[in-house]
Amino acid sequence: MQFVVRTRKAPRVVCPRAGFTLIEMLVAISVIGVAVTVFMQMYTASMDLGKLSRNRQLASEIAREQLNLLIMNPSSYVWETSGANADGLFRIRTTADEPRAGMKVEAPPVAPFARPARARQEVVYDQYRWRAFGRLGQNEQFYEVFVDVRWTQSGKDHHLVLTGAVPKSAAISEGQR
């Protein structure tokens, strides 16, 4: 009789734990939730910054346009030089009955053809108001002119001011009309 020795392979040990535990799943979901929250806040902040940038650019264009109109044709405005405050600032109005909050900004005459796009553009321009102020320059030969454009975004008031100069001889004050 012959003996044959055969080696037996060790049986594979099957791990009784083939999945994740409840605690591991809760930790993973919590980490993912925190990451999504952080990314959503960053996205919202970037959208707000983009909107603020767009509004500042539009305010700059409005101020530049109004300042150019004021400088090119100062006689069509009411220069209230007699009502100057302690700093020497006085209002420059388009008409005598201009509202204290400033003039509304009209949407450009060239508007999108589609009615919804045109309505959105008008809503954007409706939030802007502009006012102009003047002050006698240092050499008293010209008026310093300030155009202040104001708008509200996310409950906060913003404004942008551009300055220029108008010869004193070109401006017609209230008493000279």
Side-chain angles (χ1 to χ4, degrees):
M1 183 150 118
Q2 193 178 25
F3 290 104
V4 178
V5 178
R6 290 187 183 170
T7 58
R8 293 179 103 202
K9 291 184 180 178
R12 290 196 316 178
V13 178
V14 178
C15 181
R17 200 176 143 221
F20 297 105
T21 65
L22 180 60
I23 292 180
E24 291 172 334
M25 290 299 291
L26 289 175
V27 168
I29 289 172
S30 302
V31 169
I32 291 171
V34 168
V36 167
T37 303
V38 168
F39 287 129
M40 288 302 292
Q41 288 176 346
M42 289 172 38
Y43 176 75
T44 304
S46 70
M47 292 298 288
D48 287 344
L49 284 174
K51 191 174 184 181
L52 181 62
S53 175
R54 181 199 69 184
N55 286 341
R56 280 186 181 158
Q57 181 180 5
L58 187 55
S60 173
E61 291 171 11
I62 291 167
R64 191 173 327 125
E65 179 182 344
Q66 297 304 328
L67 184 62
N68 285 338
L69 288 172
L70 183 67
I71 290 172
M72 298 303 280
N73 196 8
S75 62
S76 64
Y77 292 85
V78 178
W79 295 69
E80 297 178 351
T81 55
S82 59
N85 65 9
D87 295 329
L89 284 175
F90 58 87
R91 285 289 302 267
I92 302 171
R93 299 180 186 261
T94 54
T95 61
D97 58 347
E98 178 182 307
R100 185 172 173 83
M103 294 297 293
K104 287 179 71 170
V105 176
E106 300 294 327
V110 179
F113 181 71
R115 191 172 296 184
R118 187 177 27 218
R120 278 193 306 270
Q121 184 182 30
E122 289 172 0
V123 166
V124 168
Y125 277 88
D126 279 345
Q127 68 181 344
Y128 291 94
R129 301 281 184 271
W130 71 272
R131 299 183 298 181
F133 299 93
R135 177 173 58 196
L136 193 58
Q138 291 179 352
N139 65 4
E140 298 187 6
Q141 297 296 317
F142 64 92
Y143 287 116
E144 290 180 87
V145 178
F146 307 92
V147 174
D148 180 24
V149 177
R150 296 182 173 272
W151 74 96
T152 302
Q153 177 183 336
S154 302
K156 295 180 182 177
D157 291 331
H158 298 275
H159 70 99
L160 181 124
V161 178
L162 289 183
T163 62
V166 173
K168 190 174 179 182
S169 59
I172 300 175
S173 62
E174 250 183 335
Q176 296 174 343
R177 285 188 181 253

